[in-house]
Amino acid sequence: MPDAPLSLDPVQLGVYFDLIEVTSLLRHTVEQQLREAGDLSYVQFQLLARLGDSPTGSHRMTDLADGVVYSRSGLTYQAGLLEKAGLVVRAPSPDDERSITVTITDAGRARLADVLPGHIEVVGGLLFEPLSRENVEALAGLLAPVRDHMRSTPPRSAAPRRRAKGE
Amino acid sequence: MPDAPLSLDPVQLGVYFDLIEVTSLLRHTVEQQLREAGDLSYVQFQLLARLGDSPTGSHRMTDLADGVVYSRSGLTYQAGLLEKAGLVVRAPSPDDERSITVTITDAGRARLADVLPGHIEVVGGLLFEPLSRENVEALAGLLAPVRDHMRSTPPRSAAPRRRAKGE
DNA sequence: TATTGTTATACTCTATAACTATA
DNA sequence: TATAGTTATAGAGTATAACAATA
């Protein structure tokens, strides 16, 4: 049961540090670009992008929350901002009266279009410039299993202990 | 001059998305662990870890800021919190009277020791569990050039345009 | 004049808990 | 009873600009 390694070897440590450093820089740069080009936070961009990708341009609040935001109220807050800005619309779902369907507006798609070229430019120039096509494919092959593993791992790993009474 | 690609191919897009998803999940989980195990934010942990790694247990404020925090005032804020908690000490530098030397205390090292096992456990279980030794080495080889490239790339890539007048 | 660091301030974001309404 | 979403609220973090002090 090698579920909880007691240490990381130097190579693992290096990978972990590099991963954090690289994504921090990337994210920070991308956030600036999104803010300047379209007055969007990264989370807002992610939400818009998800809606824009959907065939219907819509998603339920709950579906949007998964993976983008970690609390319901956080999503309500962000959806409220997007709606106030006219980039999305919220309406009760037809089938389930409890649900809210969020739909991207034309203005939302336009904003996305405003922001995307610069976004691609930053990601391409910062992340992919030093990588060959083979490198990118290798990276894809390495990240996919990690991603799948994390998706299938409940957040329990965060708090393995301290779980005796009412929590 | 392939400096600003106009698009990302599907594999690149997948890598980018997976990278964001994986590190978001990892960071979120690690942040919970650090908060629960030692009442530390991730930034605070990074600062403590840097100081702990230093032979002298010290760094100048400016050196600490590089890579961990993106504004001077942010570092002052975090250093203030750490000092208030007794985990670091700030003192004027001997050589340069403008500089402040931050030093980790015994309590700081103890806090680090409190937190590290769980930290390693989370990172190992979440990031490295699905990766073989060869995988990790391959990943290291792919991330290193990206890291170096980002380090050597001034943040200019964030705002390529809009730079006519006084900004 | 440039650099180091602090302060004041304002703002964004996030999370918890209590609440409403529907399934 | 469980699920979907909102609200109120409080707290953590960040950044900008003005500032003081030293190089």
Side-chain angles (χ1 to χ4, degrees), chain B residues 33-34 37-40 45 110-120:
Chain B
Q33 185 268 324
L34 290 172
D39 197 35
L40 292 175
F45 168 75
R111 184 69 63 91
L112 217 38
D114 284 344
V115 150
L116 267 178
H119 187 83
I120 302 255

Side-chain angles (χ1 to χ4, degrees), chain A residues 1-83:
Chain A
M1 189 190 287
D3 197 47
L6 306 102
S7 69
L8 300 177
D9 66 55
V11 184
Q12 288 176 319
L13 219 48
V15 164
Y16 170 51
F17 290 154
D18 287 351
L19 202 57
I20 294 296
E21 180 175 346
V22 159
T23 53
S24 292
L25 277 170
L26 181 61
R27 177 116 177 200
H28 191 254
T29 309
V30 161
E31 274 174 351
Q32 285 182 205
Q33 184 270 324
L34 290 173
R35 184 62 72 188
E36 291 172 8
D39 196 34
L40 293 175
S41 72
Y42 195 75
V43 169
Q44 289 159 10
F45 168 74
Q46 282 181 298
L47 294 174
L48 277 189
R50 277 212 184 192
L51 294 174
D53 263 355
S54 162
T56 62
S58 301
H59 276 302
R60 288 168 53 232
M61 288 288 281
T62 297
D63 301 335
L64 274 182
D66 294 346
V68 172
V69 159
Y70 296 102
S71 71
R72 294 180 175 285
S73 62
L75 178 56
T76 297
Y77 172 75
Q78 294 294 344
L81 291 183
L82 290 174
E83 188 168 46

Side-chain angles (χ1 to χ4, degrees), chain A residues 3 10 12 14 18 62 64 74 88 96 102 108 117 124 139 141 148 150 153:
Chain A
D3 197 47
Q12 288 176 319
D18 287 351
T62 297
L64 274 182
V88 307
D96 188 334
V102 187
L139 200 49
D148 293 340
M150 287 189 182
T153 300

Side-chain angles (χ1 to χ4, degrees), chain B residues 61-62 72-73 76 90 98 100:
Chain B
M61 289 288 280
T62 296
R72 294 180 175 287
S73 63
T76 297
R90 276 182 292 186
R98 294 173 304 182
I100 297 284

Side-chain angles (χ1 to χ4, degrees), chain B residues 22 35 37 39 41 46 57 74 78 81-82 90-91 95 118 123 126 149-150 160-161:
Chain B
V22 158
R35 184 62 71 188
D39 197 35
S41 73
Q46 282 180 298
Q78 293 295 345
L81 290 183
L82 290 174
R90 276 182 292 186
D95 44 306
V123 174
L126 219 44
H149 175 248
M150 287 190 183
R161 50 209 80 170

